[in-house]
Amino acid sequence: MLSRIFGTESEGAPGDGHEQVVLCHDRHSGLKAVIALHSTALGPALGGTRFYPYASEEAAVQDALNLSRGMSYKNALAGLDHGGGKAVIIGDPAEIKTEALLRAYGRFVQSLRGRYITACDVGTYVADMDVIARECDWVTGRSPEHGGAGDSSVLTAYGVFQGMRASAQHLWGTPTLRGRRVGVAGVGKVGHHLVQHLVEDGATVLITDISEASIARVRAAHPQVEVVADADALIRADLDVYAPCALGGALNDGTVPALTASVVCGAANNQLAHAGVEKDLADRGILYAPDYVVNAGGVIQVADEIHGFSFERARNKASKIYDTTLEIFALATADGVPPAAAADRLAERRMSEIGRLRTILLPDGSRG
């Protein structure tokens, strides 16, 4: 087993750089992974493990850096005592995922001695966390049989729905999607739960997904849902709300000009393809609910599991995503900036103010 560790601590404001990046390689199992720790200012870094067939190691590193930074901001605005981290395993999970590979990965996480706590993400599941935990103490998102909370997509979807309710309140003066047309791009882990909330709230729902099985599952439960050909067709459909719930980068120079929706609020991470897209949305009068704010329900759940899981407690905390989203919209209006910039400011303020407390020496000689 081989790991290379790079320290990149920033001397600037929170979010300027990463504290640590670990490249992991285990030749016998075929494991190649990247663990990125963006910040531990608020506590141990918490974030999932993505298993994906990246085109190159450089692409994997960049994704880990982007995702881990997003986790710092997500955890800060969710009110958690956790910093941000993320890991990616390089390869097609359908082809190379094995017990040996997952356990080798668990040993790399263990070697960080609690600076990073991992959980599920794209390509990894509750059962995988149970395997990783056989070699590692720093795992959450485990199965109920092993003392965990199980599938975190339930509260992720619930939090996104709360963000949509806040968006509706801010834009239309009422916290409901009743009578609105909502397009959900991606109805897998999270998206199909989101559809359930929207249908129950009285919305007209349009969906698309590259998986026919995922579409069939939603249609079986909700036959009134309309299916469109692909994400491009959904973006151009007559919508009030567009909800990207698949992989990141959905909002870019091509899709933003084509959007018909007045609100963008979805579960996908890193929806903005590059800096400046948030201004393009604002210039078009499209209200953007920052992804790392509204999709924090899952990380709220797995963070709660660390301390002994209570679904009711975690759900109550996730319901506050509604209030946080409204606060961000109000700050954006007051400061004359896009909501994404306002959200960053709130997150950075908390990382700075709470992180500062670690400089206060405690009676036992520790710094917390």
Side-chain angles (χ1 to χ4, degrees), residues 280-296:
D280 294 338
L281 289 165
D283 288 346
R284 289 206 58 216
I286 298 171
L287 181 65
Y288 172 62
D291 50 37
Y292 70 78
V293 177
V294 302
N295 68 12

mmCIF file of all heavy atoms in Angstrom, residues 280-296:
data_model
loop_
_atom_site.group_PDB
_atom_site.id
_atom_site.type_symbol
_atom_site.label_atom_id
_atom_site.label_comp_id
_atom_site.label_asym_id
_atom_site.label_seq_id
_atom_site.Cartn_x
_atom_site.Cartn_y
_atom_site.Cartn_z
ATOM 1 N N ASP A 280 -24.730 34.972 -14.068
ATOM 2 C CA ASP A 280 -25.537 34.777 -15.280
ATOM 3 C C ASP A 280 -26.982 34.443 -14.909
ATOM 4 O O ASP A 280 -27.923 34.941 -15.530
ATOM 5 C CB ASP A 280 -24.957 33.655 -16.138
ATOM 6 C CG ASP A 280 -23.586 33.995 -16.705
ATOM 7 O OD1 ASP A 280 -23.268 35.202 -16.787
ATOM 8 O OD2 ASP A 280 -22.842 33.060 -17.053
ATOM 9 N N LEU A 281 -27.154 33.595 -13.888
ATOM 10 C CA LEU A 281 -28.502 33.262 -13.423
ATOM 11 C C LEU A 281 -29.204 34.497 -12.882
ATOM 12 O O LEU A 281 -30.373 34.757 -13.206
ATOM 13 C CB LEU A 281 -28.430 32.178 -12.345
ATOM 14 C CG LEU A 281 -28.035 30.779 -12.802
ATOM 15 C CD1 LEU A 281 -27.642 29.917 -11.610
ATOM 16 C CD2 LEU A 281 -29.178 30.122 -13.577
ATOM 17 N N ALA A 282 -28.493 35.256 -12.048
ATOM 18 C CA ALA A 282 -29.082 36.463 -11.471
ATOM 19 C C ALA A 282 -29.449 37.474 -12.553
ATOM 20 O O ALA A 282 -30.512 38.113 -12.483
ATOM 21 C CB ALA A 282 -28.108 37.079 -10.470
ATOM 22 N N ASP A 283 -28.594 37.615 -13.554
ATOM 23 C CA ASP A 283 -28.863 38.562 -14.639
ATOM 24 C C ASP A 283 -30.114 38.186 -15.423
ATOM 25 O O ASP A 283 -30.780 39.063 -15.990
ATOM 26 C CB ASP A 283 -27.663 38.639 -15.592
ATOM 27 C CG ASP A 283 -26.469 39.357 -14.980
ATOM 28 O OD1 ASP A 283 -26.647 40.027 -13.944
ATOM 29 O OD2 ASP A 283 -25.356 39.234 -15.533
ATOM 30 N N ARG A 284 -30.423 36.901 -15.449
ATOM 31 C CA ARG A 284 -31.631 36.440 -16.145
ATOM 32 C C ARG A 284 -32.851 36.437 -15.222
ATOM 33 O O ARG A 284 -33.945 36.050 -15.638
ATOM 34 C CB ARG A 284 -31.426 35.033 -16.707
ATOM 35 C CG ARG A 284 -30.473 34.961 -17.899
ATOM 36 C CD ARG A 284 -30.807 33.744 -18.763
ATOM 37 N NE ARG A 284 -32.178 33.803 -19.224
ATOM 38 C CZ ARG A 284 -32.976 32.727 -19.363
ATOM 39 N NH1 ARG A 284 -32.523 31.515 -19.073
ATOM 40 N NH2 ARG A 284 -34.217 32.865 -19.778
ATOM 41 N N GLY A 285 -32.654 36.849 -13.966
ATOM 42 C CA GLY A 285 -33.766 36.867 -13.028
ATOM 43 C C GLY A 285 -34.147 35.502 -12.508
ATOM 44 O O GLY A 285 -35.270 35.291 -12.041
ATOM 45 N N ILE A 286 -33.202 34.562 -12.554
ATOM 46 C CA ILE A 286 -33.454 33.202 -12.063
ATOM 47 C C ILE A 286 -32.916 33.084 -10.644
ATOM 48 O O ILE A 286 -31.753 33.368 -10.382
ATOM 49 C CB ILE A 286 -32.782 32.157 -12.977
ATOM 50 C CG1 ILE A 286 -33.362 32.230 -14.390
ATOM 51 C CG2 ILE A 286 -32.954 30.745 -12.402
ATOM 52 C CD1 ILE A 286 -32.612 31.398 -15.411
ATOM 53 N N LEU A 287 -33.769 32.676 -9.723
ATOM 54 C CA LEU A 287 -33.386 32.524 -8.316
ATOM 55 C C LEU A 287 -32.677 31.192 -8.138
ATOM 56 O O LEU A 287 -33.245 30.127 -8.409
ATOM 57 C CB LEU A 287 -34.623 32.580 -7.425
ATOM 58 C CG LEU A 287 -34.394 32.462 -5.922
ATOM 59 C CD1 LEU A 287 -33.605 33.668 -5.400
ATOM 60 C CD2 LEU A 287 -35.730 32.334 -5.185
ATOM 61 N N TYR A 288 -31.427 31.242 -7.668
ATOM 62 C CA TYR A 288 -30.643 30.033 -7.468
ATOM 63 C C TYR A 288 -30.506 29.741 -5.983
ATOM 64 O O TYR A 288 -29.966 30.545 -5.231
ATOM 65 C CB TYR A 288 -29.261 30.191 -8.107
ATOM 66 C CG TYR A 288 -28.309 29.059 -7.797
ATOM 67 C CD1 TYR A 288 -28.594 27.758 -8.193
ATOM 68 C CD2 TYR A 288 -27.122 29.288 -7.105
ATOM 69 C CE1 TYR A 288 -27.731 26.717 -7.907
ATOM 70 C CE2 TYR A 288 -26.239 28.242 -6.824
ATOM 71 C CZ TYR A 288 -26.554 26.963 -7.222
ATOM 72 O OH TYR A 288 -25.702 25.930 -6.931
ATOM 73 N N ALA A 289 -31.004 28.566 -5.571
ATOM 74 C CA ALA A 289 -30.831 28.108 -4.190
ATOM 75 C C ALA A 289 -29.527 27.320 -4.150
ATOM 76 O O ALA A 289 -29.447 26.244 -4.744
ATOM 77 C CB ALA A 289 -31.997 27.239 -3.759
ATOM 78 N N PRO A 290 -28.475 27.843 -3.502
ATOM 79 C CA PRO A 290 -27.162 27.195 -3.547
ATOM 80 C C PRO A 290 -27.227 25.709 -3.189
ATOM 81 O O PRO A 290 -27.808 25.333 -2.169
ATOM 82 C CB PRO A 290 -26.349 27.990 -2.521
ATOM 83 C CG PRO A 290 -26.976 29.349 -2.532
ATOM 84 C CD PRO A 290 -28.443 29.086 -2.700
ATOM 85 N N ASP A 291 -26.607 24.895 -4.042
ATOM 86 C CA ASP A 291 -26.738 23.441 -3.884
ATOM 87 C C ASP A 291 -26.255 22.951 -2.532
ATOM 88 O O ASP A 291 -26.881 22.110 -1.896
ATOM 89 C CB ASP A 291 -26.023 22.707 -5.019
ATOM 90 C CG ASP A 291 -24.592 23.174 -5.275
ATOM 91 O OD1 ASP A 291 -23.892 23.493 -4.303
ATOM 92 O OD2 ASP A 291 -24.187 23.217 -6.446
ATOM 93 N N TYR A 292 -25.129 23.477 -2.065
ATOM 94 C CA TYR A 292 -24.569 22.933 -0.827
ATOM 95 C C TYR A 292 -25.369 23.353 0.400
ATOM 96 O O TYR A 292 -25.160 22.807 1.491
ATOM 97 C CB TYR A 292 -23.089 23.304 -0.683
ATOM 98 C CG TYR A 292 -22.768 24.752 -0.410
ATOM 99 C CD1 TYR A 292 -22.910 25.289 0.862
ATOM 100 C CD2 TYR A 292 -22.290 25.592 -1.417
ATOM 101 C CE1 TYR A 292 -22.594 26.606 1.128
ATOM 102 C CE2 TYR A 292 -21.962 26.907 -1.158
ATOM 103 C CZ TYR A 292 -22.110 27.412 0.119
ATOM 104 O OH TYR A 292 -21.799 28.720 0.374
ATOM 105 N N VAL A 293 -26.289 24.274 0.233
ATOM 106 C CA VAL A 293 -27.195 24.642 1.323
ATOM 107 C C VAL A 293 -28.379 23.678 1.360
ATOM 108 O O VAL A 293 -28.691 23.077 2.391
ATOM 109 C CB VAL A 293 -27.697 26.088 1.151
ATOM 110 C CG1 VAL A 293 -28.701 26.442 2.250
ATOM 111 C CG2 VAL A 293 -26.541 27.063 1.155
ATOM 112 N N VAL A 294 -29.029 23.514 0.205
ATOM 113 C CA VAL A 294 -30.284 22.765 0.200
ATOM 114 C C VAL A 294 -30.083 21.258 0.218
ATOM 115 O O VAL A 294 -30.996 20.515 0.611
ATOM 116 C CB VAL A 294 -31.170 23.171 -1.002
ATOM 117 C CG1 VAL A 294 -31.468 24.663 -0.965
ATOM 118 C CG2 VAL A 294 -30.546 22.787 -2.341
ATOM 119 N N ASN A 295 -28.909 20.755 -0.196
ATOM 120 C CA ASN A 295 -28.738 19.293 -0.207
ATOM 121 C C ASN A 295 -28.009 18.773 1.032
ATOM 122 O O ASN A 295 -27.466 17.672 1.029
ATOM 123 C CB ASN A 295 -28.026 18.831 -1.492
ATOM 124 C CG ASN A 295 -26.567 19.270 -1.587
ATOM 125 O OD1 ASN A 295 -25.967 19.741 -0.613
ATOM 126 N ND2 ASN A 295 -25.992 19.123 -2.769
ATOM 127 N N ALA A 296 -28.038 19.561 2.101
ATOM 128 C CA ALA A 296 -27.297 19.198 3.315
ATOM 129 C C ALA A 296 -28.025 18.191 4.207
ATOM 130 O O ALA A 296 -27.476 17.761 5.217
ATOM 131 C CB ALA A 296 -26.999 20.458 4.138
#
